[in-house]
């Protein structure tokens, strides 16, 4: 974008299109990091797997869920089915994983600032960790409920009940970002990529004007 680097968070509810929005910004020259990929890397660490299994093995056994595959790796889908079934389970998992997510995302943002590189952090959970303070603005990608439901079903092939459980867990996500003290902009995504690109461009104009102190 020129001048002082811009660090953005792109977020949104499940299947709203935040990945597509992040890819649009990446094509414009933004360095991009996907928090889901960061989590995936963390959950591949044997010490983290050991902590997760120790924390949830009893709860998983009660529900007939196997958390570990035969090769010893963590079954992320099974873990997801468990932690999204109860709010307390999700909080317990996040207490293990999020501190390391925060550390890695902060390092990414700091590195981009040092290089003068605009950057986008693609993340749903950024409002829960300190790295939100590194972001100049939040782009919240939104889409109609049934559009998201069908997208999630086609993309992840999960049972509807599991998709709806995740939808329910994210029901107040926009208000949580609004309360995070980050400038938050809602961008609509109905499924047409060209429309999303236009909406992102309009949002970026607003962010740039705010950055310059204009209305």
């Amino acid at each position: 974008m020129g001048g002082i680097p811009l660090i953005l968070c792109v977020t949104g509810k499940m299947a709203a299109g935040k990945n597509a929005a992040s890819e649009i910004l990446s094509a414009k020259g933004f360095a991009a990091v996907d928090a889901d990929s960061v989590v995936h890397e963390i959950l591949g660490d044997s010490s983290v797997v050991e902590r997760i299994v120790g924390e949830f093995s009893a709860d998983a056994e009660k529900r007939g869920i196997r958390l570990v595959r035969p090769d010893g790796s963590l079954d992320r889908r099974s873990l997801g089915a468990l932690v999204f079934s109860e709010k307390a389970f999700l909080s317990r998992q996040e207490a293990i994983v999020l501190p390391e997510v925060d550390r890695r995302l902060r390092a990414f943002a700091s590195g981009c600032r040092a290089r003068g590189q605009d950057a986008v952090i693609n993340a749903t959970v950024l409002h829960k960790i300190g790295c939100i303070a590194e972001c100049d603005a939040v782009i919240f990608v939104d889409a109609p409920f049934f559009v998201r439901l069908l997208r999630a079903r086609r993309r992840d092939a999960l049972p509807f009940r599991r998709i709806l459980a995740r939808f329910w867990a994210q029901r107040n996500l926009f208000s949580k970002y609004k309360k995070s003290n980050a400038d938050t902009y809602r961008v609509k995504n109905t499924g047409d990529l060209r429309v999303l690109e236009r909406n992102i461009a309009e949002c970026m104009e607003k962010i740039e004007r705010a950055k310059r102190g204009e209305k």
Side-chain angles (χ1 to χ4, degrees):
M1 302 295 294
I4 299 173
L6 190 64
I7 309 295
L8 300 177
C9 167
V10 170
T11 191
K13 296 177 182 178
M14 182 181 184
K18 65 185 179 66
N19 291 347
S22 181
E23 288 169 5
I24 289 169
L25 291 168
S26 180
K28 294 181 181 295
F30 280 71
V33 63
D34 185 344
D36 285 344
S37 296
V38 173
V39 171
H40 185 81
E41 293 174 3
I42 293 169
L43 292 178
D45 185 292
S46 59
S47 63
V48 176
V49 173
E50 186 176 340
R51 289 183 64 191
I52 291 284
V53 172
E55 180 69 30
F56 291 109
S57 59
D59 298 305
E61 186 175 353
K62 290 177 184 176
R63 290 161 174 77
I65 295 174
R66 296 189 63 176
L67 294 177
V68 180
R69 298 189 182 97
D71 65 0
S73 64
L74 189 67
D75 189 325
R76 294 185 67 207
R77 284 206 168 194
S78 294
L79 177 63
L82 178 65
V83 301
F84 281 101
S85 67
E86 290 190 25
K87 185 177 180 180
F89 289 168
L90 183 59
S91 296
R92 285 160 54 190
Q93 185 223 24
E94 289 176 342
I96 295 172
V97 175
L98 288 188
E100 179 61 13
V101 174
D102 187 44
R103 187 190 69 79
R104 295 190 187 194
L105 294 183
R106 282 178 181 267
F108 169 80
S110 296
C112 289
R113 286 197 190 278
R115 296 192 304 272
Q117 170 75 60
D118 295 325
V120 55
I121 299 172
N122 178 355
T124 302
V125 298
L126 213 66
H127 67 93
K128 296 183 178 183
I129 57 180
C131 187
I132 188 69
E134 302 289 337
C135 297
D136 299 297
V138 174
I139 296 177
F140 189 96
V141 184
D142 207 356
F145 174 86
F146 285 107
V147 171
R148 294 194 298 115
L149 185 64
L150 293 176
R151 276 185 198 151
R153 176 65 173 175
R154 286 195 302 265
R155 184 189 68 191
D156 300 331
L158 293 172
F160 281 118
R161 59 181 175 78
R162 286 177 60 181
I163 295 171
L164 292 173
R166 296 190 181 193
F167 278 19
W168 179 255
Q170 297 178 344
R171 63 193 181 280
N172 297 320
L173 189 62
F174 182 73
S175 64
K176 290 175 181 177
Y177 274 96
K178 290 292 286 185
K179 293 176 182 177
S180 69
N181 294 324
D183 291 333
T184 303
Y185 301 80
R186 193 194 294 264
V187 170
K188 293 183 179 179
N189 176 28
T190 58
D192 187 317
L193 185 59
R194 289 175 298 180
V195 173
L196 179 59
E197 288 175 342
R198 185 176 68 238
N199 291 345
I200 291 288
E202 292 174 354
C203 181
M204 290 304 301
E205 290 178 3
K206 294 177 182 177
I207 292 171
E208 282 297 307
R209 288 199 299 270
K211 187 179 178 183
R212 295 192 299 266
E214 302 172 5
K215 292 185 178 180

